[in-house]
């Protein structure tokens, strides 16, 4: 990135220093599970004067994913993304409406065929030829097929677009499915969540811009940098799980103390997502459902969110190590560093915690009022 490039981005971002800008690029590299040595490449892609067109379509959904993106307040990052891309069409943000907006949509599609990024928010109804979601005289399923086949990359944002989400809940009267089931292309990137973390979208787009290819994906077409680990592994309440301290009812002593929410139906042990590390909305540390006292309901996991009742306890299939937090039982000055304590938790605590949970379940203690397992 030369000085001219930086001055251009500095003007857009309202005076951010070069050092801070490179820090943002390094953070983005870390978010994508890449070495920070790729930060200059990311900086170069971000400061490139050519802005790739993005077309954003809405299907059967609530627009919560768009709202989530608009709430991204990481220093200047939302400015960065909106200055870095050309948001040619977004049904709920576009100033234009009616025929003019539709003309702008199809003009961008024809001029940028094979180059634009299509973001789809919402499920696609298929029943009765898709009549249950009809925009500008077209059934949504037909629009997704027509525009999706011309896109350079397709991103299904939110659980509804990823696999149907809330729109496809039993009995799914409109026959909603995810974008993956409609498009012929094999690689539709799925970013499930209700809403998804906006930084996962930003990081996916930046990866595509920087390396001209999509990030590594798992079996569900989710980027592994964001969906590669269980929420339970990095949860801030994990030391309580490992030490057998649980909330049993909303508002009880354990809940007020910030204990583990497993018995309130937390789906963190079966949900792959980075909510516990990336959190939401930049409202401060702990700003995510578990952080504010609500059990994870598995919105990012197909077959869990919107399917398994909230108060059903999850199986702990793998006694995975806690990766990010020292056990709360370790007192200051005991001689164990945070790192070694975290390793201890990983090696021993997880197994103990899971063992305690299973012992309690087998012993029928689930409905007991004790907050701490003996
Ligand atoms: Fe966190 Fe839920 Fe796991 Fe408890 S069960 S440690 S609240 S993810």
């Amino acid at each position: 990135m030369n000085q001219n490039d930086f001055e251009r981005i500095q003007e857009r971002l309202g005076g951010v220093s070069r050092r801070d800008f490179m820090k943002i690029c390094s953070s983005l590299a870390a978010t994508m599970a890449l070495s920070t040595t790729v930060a200059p490449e990311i900086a170069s892609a971000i400061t490139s004067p050519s802005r790739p067109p993005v077309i954003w379509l809405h299907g059967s959904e609530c627009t919560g994913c768009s709202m989530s993106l608009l709430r991204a307040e990481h220093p200047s990052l939302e400015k960065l993304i909106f200055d870095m891309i050309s948001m040619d069409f977004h049904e709920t943000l576009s100033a234009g409406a009616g025929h003019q907006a539709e003309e702008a949509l199809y003009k961008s599609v024809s001029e940028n065929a094979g180059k634009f990024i299509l973001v789809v928010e919402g499920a696609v109804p298929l029943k009765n030829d898709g009549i249950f979601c009809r925009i500008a005289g077209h059934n949504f399923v037909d629009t997704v097929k027509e525009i999706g086949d011309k896109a350079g990359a397709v991103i299904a944002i939110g659980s509804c677009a990823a696999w149907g989400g809330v729109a496809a809940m039993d009995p799914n009267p409109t026959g909603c499915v995810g974008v993956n089931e409609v498009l012929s292309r094999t690689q539709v990137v799925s970013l499930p969540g209700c809403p998804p973390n906006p930084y996962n979208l930003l990081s996916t787009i930046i990866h595509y811009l920087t390396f001209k290819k999509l990030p590594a994906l798992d079996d569900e077409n989710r980027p592994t940098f964001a969906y590669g680990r269980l929420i339970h592994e990095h949860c801030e309440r994990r030391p309580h799980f490992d030490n057998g301290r649980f909330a049993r009812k909303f508002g009880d002593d354990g809940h007020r103390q910030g204990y583990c929410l497993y018995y309130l139906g937390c789906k963190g042990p079966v949900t792959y997502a980075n909510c516990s590390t990336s959190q939401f909305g930049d409202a401060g540390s702990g700003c995510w459902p578990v952080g504010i006292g609500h059990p994870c309901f598995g919105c990012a996991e197909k077959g869990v969110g919107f399917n398994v009742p909230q108060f059903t306890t999850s199986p702990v299939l793998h006694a995975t190590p806690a990766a990010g937090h020292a056990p709360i039982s370790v007192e200051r000055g005991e001689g164990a560093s945070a790192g070694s304590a975290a390793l201890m938790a990983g090696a021993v605590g997880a197994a103990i915690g899971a063992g305690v949970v299973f012992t309690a379940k087998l012993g029928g203690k689930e409905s007991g009022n004790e907050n701490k397992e003996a």
Side-chain angles (χ1 to χ4, degrees):
M1 180 180 62
N2 62 39
Q3 187 60 28
N4 286 345
D5 289 338
F6 177 69
E7 281 170 7
R8 190 172 53 249
I9 199 84
Q10 189 177 36
E11 196 175 306
R12 289 183 200 164
L13 299 180
V16 65
S17 72
R18 189 185 182 94
R19 175 185 288 260
D20 285 344
F21 177 63
M22 290 312 294
K23 270 192 202 165
I24 291 173
C25 294
S26 297
S27 303
L28 286 166
T31 302
M32 291 184 265
L34 300 172
S35 159
T36 51
T37 56
V38 302
E41 287 178 67
I42 292 173
S44 226
I46 289 175
T47 53
S48 166
S50 69
R51 299 185 304 155
V54 172
I55 290 171
W56 189 301
L57 298 177
H58 293 258
S60 294
E61 44 83 36
C62 68
T63 313
C65 303
S66 288
M67 291 302 298
S68 173
L69 181 67
L70 291 174
R71 298 301 298 163
E73 291 172 359
H74 191 280
S76 302
L77 201 53
E78 85 286 9
K79 286 186 187 174
L80 209 60
I81 192 72
F82 282 116
D83 282 329
M84 205 173 78
I85 62 172
S86 168
M87 184 70 87
D88 283 10
F89 185 81
H90 187 297
E91 273 152 355
T92 52
L93 296 181
S94 293
H99 294 296
Q100 287 177 327
E102 288 302 303
E103 277 171 26
L105 167 62
Y106 286 99
K107 184 165 179 278
S108 177
V109 169
S110 66
E111 287 177 357
N112 301 296
K115 290 187 286 188
F116 67 89
I117 299 170
L118 173 64
V119 180
V120 181
E121 176 178 357
V124 187
L126 296 183
K127 197 167 179 185
N128 296 351
D129 297 326
I131 192 71
F132 298 103
C133 185
R134 190 168 169 80
I135 301 162
H138 305 288
N139 288 357
F140 186 57
V141 59
D142 299 327
T143 306
V144 169
K145 282 180 183 168
E146 181 186 352
I147 297 178
D149 282 339
K150 295 181 177 127
V154 182
I155 298 174
I157 187 165
S159 297
C160 297
W163 74 79
V166 69
M169 280 176 70
D170 188 50
N172 193 2
T174 60
C176 274
V177 298
V179 178
N180 262 324
E181 293 188 40
V182 171
L183 289 181
S184 53
R185 65 179 58 242
T186 50
Q187 283 208 319
V188 175
V189 181
S190 288
L191 300 176
C194 188
N197 191 311
Y199 294 113
N200 292 341
L201 172 69
L202 302 183
S203 298
T204 301
I205 291 177
I206 287 168
H207 190 289
Y208 183 70
L209 296 181
T210 305
F211 305 107
K212 314 294 181 230
K213 63 178 184 180
L214 295 170
L217 305 175
D218 66 10
D219 292 346
E220 303 278 343
N221 276 15
R222 304 175 295 188
T224 52
F225 72 77
Y227 298 89
R229 305 195 70 163
L230 289 167
I231 286 174
H232 185 61
E233 288 177 45
H234 292 275
C235 179
E236 65 219 42
R237 297 184 188 231
R238 178 60 185 266
H240 290 304
F241 176 90
D242 289 340
N243 285 282
R245 291 188 288 262
F246 300 98
R248 295 293 185 159
K249 291 179 184 169
F250 284 100
D252 72 2
D253 192 45
H255 195 230
R256 287 166 189 269
Q257 299 268 5
Y259 287 176
C260 172
L261 304 171
Y262 178 82
Y263 284 116
L264 297 182
C266 185
K267 305 297 185 292
V270 290
T271 301
Y272 286 85
N274 58 353
C275 309
S276 48
T277 50
S278 290
Q279 310 199 345
F280 282 87
D282 298 315
S285 177
C287 183
W288 67 296
V290 167
I292 59 170
H294 194 285
C296 163
F297 80 101
C299 67
E301 198 63 42
K302 187 177 181 182
V304 179
F306 317 111
N307 282 280
V308 179
Q310 176 65 77
F311 292 101
T312 303
T313 49
S314 302
V316 183
L317 299 175
H318 310 289
T320 51
H325 300 275
I328 287 171
S329 60
V330 174
E331 301 292 339
R332 285 184 193 173
E334 268 189 3
S337 68
S340 63
L343 284 173
M344 284 166 59
V348 183
I352 294 172
V356 166
V357 168
F358 280 124
T359 305
K361 286 184 79 171
L362 290 171
K365 287 186 179 179
E366 282 187 74
S367 60
N369 289 324
E370 292 297 316
N371 293 115
K372 187 172 189 318
E373 299 292 348

